[in-house]
Amino acid sequence: MARWSHPSRLLALAALAALAACGDSPTSPTGSTGGTGGTGGTGGTGGTGGTGGSGTLTVPPINREFRGMWIATVANIDWPSRNTLTVAQQQAELNTLLDAAVATGLNAVVLQVRAAGDLLYPSNLEPWSRSFTGTQGVDPGYDPLAFAVQAAKLRGLELHAWFNPFRAGNLSDTARLATTHFGRKRPDLLRRTCQQLWFDPGEDAVHDQAIAVVTEVLRRYDVDAVHLDDFFYPYPETGCTLEFPDTAAFGRYQRGGGALARADWRRDNVNRFVRRLYQEVRAVSTSARVGISPFGIWRPGNPAGITGLDAYTAIYADSRLWLQAGWVDYLAPQLYWATTSTGQNYNNLITWWGQQNTMRRHLWPGLASYRINDGSSSPFPANEIATQIGIARQQANSAGGATGTILYNGSSVRDNRGGFAASLGAGLFAEGALAPATTWLDATPPADPTVAVSTSGDQLSVTISGDATDVRWWFVRWRSNGTWRSKTLPSANRATTVPGTGTDAVVVNAVDAVSNASGNAVWRR
């Protein structure tokens, strides 16, 4: 995959209408009747109780697994597919992507918000993305980020805002950068290297600008996390031997008494940015998680037998340090290689990353679903992604092991490459899941809800009550013919329906912004 493409419902959607409990003989609301939803990786311990039925009901633990999907906006990779679409067409395309995520059994999307110093929302800091109109700085006629946040939430999907802090564009973009682009406002900070434009990571003003964009999004939009990919310093380009042109910044560092060698100084620039990003996010939000998806190999030989690009020396990314220092809430190393690969073996790499996770942060590796039947000389078979997810689940039993995965990219999920997405939705991801709780940010579950259920034709109408002050989601589960199913609702939606035929139990948990879950509110038929 090209390095540029990531290694890596309407703006004013109608408010959710409460579904009327119009059937007969509604039960009385019940509170938590046993067990807890749990705050950790496996959910609660189950419980018994409920009204309307006889005997006991064992409520299973909440299934915990992060299931994400990247949506790239740069170069119209995933969304929008073309820069000539109408607003309605753009919004319909995103709805299709989000619907595909739900059908596949995912619970989060990672949406590219700042690709190259341009944005998916109106701002005085930087211009509009050219992906929506074809011209950087031109208003697309609506706020795509506001639309995306609302559309994702309506479907029970987390939305993580994905930023590129240092990528400024392609060299060919130089003459068509908008006047409000940071590279036009501060040309002294813009670097030209091979075929790319870059903001110099050695300049503190570049850090300030990227942090300002991230914190603006946190203050203005109800996103669940902020996310960086692997663009720190430029990747090596075939046929280009130019050194990154940061002599001026390095010279000032040396004149100020700095003693680090140039390579170590570059790594320190990135480290300082990552550490500061985590601190600044925490100052703005107590619940928004910070994630990074670095190149999947930290250094060749780690573990033994691994070969390939040395991200530590090539792009100055010490990703193991960020994980072990706790400067991220989750790390998503891009493990875009097959289980049968030798020099870049998926199995060995995912095991190694879990062993490095000494702070026990979330480890959610990126998987290359775009490689399924991609027409290359080494395509993934349709079952490769399911195999990799199975291996990740085995790692979840080890301290520091993976507790989820992220698929690149959204188009491969939407297009159901080789049938893999439908297979996941009917198989490994058939049972819904909540993301693992981020207990180092907050370990206190929200208050228990209450639930009332009534029959309405062949449906059951479910009404949720209780204090929603600290609630972001309602996690609704029901047992139908012995099988548990689930859906996730935004906290503003206190009513839903579930199938009535064969359903003998409904369970509701309140879930907060970092995925702590309350006790079980249980109804029995």
Side-chain angles (χ1 to χ4, degrees):
M1 177 178 60
R3 304 309 315 171
W4 180 226
S5 62
H6 188 354
S8 11
R9 274 161 164 153
L10 299 168
L11 169 59
L13 277 163
L16 288 166
L19 295 171
C22 57
D24 55 350
S25 303
T27 65
S28 298
T30 66
S32 178
T33 57
T36 64
T39 61
T42 60
T45 57
T48 62
T51 64
S54 60
T56 61
L57 171 71
T58 299
V59 179
I62 292 175
N63 192 29
R64 296 281 189 166
E65 184 176 43
F66 189 83
R67 304 170 181 172
M69 176 182 86
W70 277 291
I71 299 177
T73 58
V74 65
N76 302 104
I77 291 171
D78 289 325
W79 179 64
S81 63
R82 303 188 309 279
N83 58 33
T84 57
L85 299 180
T86 66
V87 170
Q89 289 171 327
Q90 291 175 11
Q91 294 174 343
E93 279 197 341
L94 183 62
N95 283 335
T96 297
L97 281 163
L98 298 180
D99 288 341
V102 172
T104 304
L106 309 184
N107 52 27
V109 294
V110 184
L111 176 66
Q112 193 172 33
V113 169
R114 185 196 197 227
D118 51 5
L119 306 174
L120 256 68
Y121 66 94
S123 173
N124 292 324
L125 292 173
E126 293 184 330
W128 282 103
S129 167
R130 65 166 49 91
S131 296
F132 290 83
T133 64
T135 303
Q136 192 175 74
V138 173
D139 188 337
Y142 73 114
D143 185 336
L145 182 53
F147 175 82
V149 169
Q150 182 73 346
K153 186 178 294 186
L154 284 172
R155 292 165 170 83
L157 295 167
E158 291 188 3
L159 188 138
H160 297 204
W162 160 19
F163 303 85
N164 295 105
F166 305 125
R167 188 78 161 84
N170 295 317
L171 194 61
S172 59
D173 296 328
T174 303
R176 55 187 185 134
L177 294 178
T179 57
T180 52
H181 190 277
F182 193 55
R184 290 284 299 273
K185 292 190 291 186
R186 291 293 306 272
D188 56 310
L189 305 177
L190 191 65
R191 306 290 177 252
R192 293 164 176 80
T193 172
C194 301
Q195 298 302 311
Q196 300 179 47
L197 296 175
W198 218 261
F199 299 126
D200 190 343
E203 299 281 2
D204 288 342
V206 168
H207 294 204
D208 294 343
Q209 178 73 5
I211 295 292
V213 172
V214 171
T215 54
E216 179 179 62
V217 168
L218 285 173
R219 290 186 176 98
R220 289 177 53 186
Y221 298 91
D222 193 17
V223 298
D224 296 278
V226 299
H227 179 100
L228 306 182
D229 64 18
D230 59 334
F231 289 115
F232 300 104
Y233 280 83
Y235 274 85
E237 294 184 46
T238 302
C240 180
T241 59
L242 293 177
E243 178 75 8
F244 187 76
D246 55 2
T247 299
F250 184 58
R252 286 197 305 274
Y253 165 77
Q254 289 180 311
R255 290 191 295 274
L260 291 176
R262 195 163 187 163
D264 293 327
W265 169 76
R266 287 174 175 171
R267 265 185 298 275
D268 186 61
N269 292 333
V270 178
N271 292 340
R272 288 188 300 108
F273 178 79
V274 171
R275 180 174 63 247
R276 180 183 169 189
L277 174 71
Y278 194 79
Q279 294 168 344
E280 298 267 6
V281 170
R282 289 284 71 83
V284 174
S285 171
T286 59
S287 61
R289 286 150 292 169
V290 176
I292 302 180
S293 56
F295 185 70
I297 299 170
W298 173 63
R299 305 206 68 182
N302 295 270
I306 293 297
T307 62
L309 179 82
D310 188 344
Y312 182 89
T313 61
I315 60 173
Y316 308 98
D318 192 356
S319 49
R320 186 177 71 167
L321 172 65
W322 313 333
L323 183 63
Q324 295 185 339
W327 297 341
V328 293
D329 296 309
Y330 70 88
L331 198 77
Q334 297 166 31
L335 303 187
Y336 288 178
W337 303 283
T339 52
T340 56
S341 173
T342 53
Q344 303 86 36
N345 183 262
Y346 171 86
N347 314 50
N348 296 339
L349 282 166
I350 194 173
T351 299
W352 182 86
W353 277 108
Q355 293 167 348
Q356 310 315 304
N357 190 11
T358 54
M359 288 285 285
R360 304 296 184 257
R361 295 316 202 207
H362 299 311
L363 184 64
W364 299 332
L367 309 183
S369 54
Y370 75 94
R371 291 189 59 185
I372 296 173
N373 299 342
D374 65 354
S376 70
S377 59
S378 57
F380 279 4
N383 65 350
E384 176 69 19
I385 297 301
T387 299
Q388 294 187 1
I389 291 169
I391 292 170
R393 285 184 174 180
Q394 294 171 5
Q395 298 292 323
N397 297 322
S398 303
T403 55
T405 52
I406 311 179
L407 303 174
Y408 187 82
N409 58 5
S411 297
S412 65
V413 175
R414 178 200 62 211
D415 299 342
N416 190 25
R417 289 270 190 97
F420 93 98
S423 178
L424 290 178
L428 291 176
F429 290 170
E431 182 182 351
L434 291 178
T438 308
T439 53
W440 51 91
L441 297 183
D442 177 13
T444 304
D448 297 354
T450 58
V451 60
V453 179
S454 63
T455 57
S456 178
D458 60 355
Q459 300 280 302
L460 295 178
S461 293
V462 179
T463 303
I464 304 163
S465 302
D467 182 9
T469 303
D470 298 320
V471 179
R472 187 166 187 80
W473 310 102
W474 307 111
F475 192 57
V476 181
R477 290 176 286 168
W478 62 97
R479 188 174 68 177
S480 182
N481 298 317
T483 299
W484 287 93
R485 292 287 183 257
S486 67
K487 65 173 71 173
T488 303
L489 307 176
S491 59
N493 186 5
R494 291 176 175 267
T496 190
T497 60
V498 300
T501 303
T503 297
D504 64 352
V506 176
V507 180
V508 177
N509 301 94
V511 183
D512 68 15
V514 296
S515 209
N516 295 307
S518 73
N520 301 320
V522 182
W523 170 86
R524 290 289 310 278
R525 188 185 290 277

